[in-house]
């Protein structure tokens, strides 16, 4: 099995990601975690804010539901539903 090394999505940063920024998305039937970015511990703030901007600009179709952005502790090899959501961190960064 190949080990995926996910990098921070902040421009110019090549650090391994520690956090995943994502929001639950549904089209009424199918639902999944929509990923907005990955961040190392130095860039969680800017990556989260970029994700918020992208989410605000996105115009969902009438049947689409996009929930608020969430920060998860990213661990490679773990499935989305196994990731730990970091509620306390979200409050620090939400604008
Ligand atoms: Zn970074």
């Amino acid at each position: 099995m190949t080990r995926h090394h996910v990098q921070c999505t902040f421009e110019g940063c090549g650090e391994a990601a520690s956090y995943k920024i994502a929001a639950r998305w549904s089209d009424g039937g199918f639902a999944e975690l929509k990923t907005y970015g990955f961040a190392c511990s130095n860039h969680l703030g800017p990556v989260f804010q970029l994700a918020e901007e992208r989410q605000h600009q996105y115009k969902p179709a009438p049947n689409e539901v996009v929930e608020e952005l969430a920060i998860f502790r990213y661990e490679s090899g773990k499935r989305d539903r196994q990731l730990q959501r970091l509620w306390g961190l979200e409050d620090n960064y939400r604008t």
Side-chain angles (χ1 to χ4, degrees):
M1 197 177 120
T2 322
R3 266 181 74 93
H4 288 284
H5 193 70
V6 177
Q7 290 185 344
C8 173
T9 48
F10 189 77
E11 203 179 332
C13 179
E15 291 292 310
S18 305
Y19 303 100
K20 172 172 172 159
I21 293 102
R24 252 175 233 297
W25 172 92
S26 170
D27 68 356
F30 182 73
E32 66 173 6
L33 207 55
K34 183 175 162 69
T35 303
Y36 284 84
F38 291 93
C40 68
S41 44
N42 290 327
H43 295 127
L44 181 56
V47 172
F48 187 81
Q49 271 144 31
L50 276 173
E52 267 196 326
E53 280 176 28
R54 278 176 53 197
Q55 199 188 35
H56 288 155
Q57 283 162 11
Y58 183 73
K59 301 263 182 291
N63 61 325
E64 278 184 303
V65 178
V66 186
E67 292 183 13
E68 62 177 7
L69 280 176
I71 299 173
F72 298 90
R73 182 175 300 288
Y74 181 72
E75 291 170 79
S76 61
K78 281 204 173 180
R79 292 165 183 273
D80 281 345
R81 64 181 59 193
Q82 295 175 306
L83 297 179
Q84 185 194 354
R85 185 166 172 181
L86 304 167
W87 298 88
L89 274 178
E90 293 167 24
D91 289 341
N92 291 340
Y93 293 111
R94 211 178 289 289
T95 52

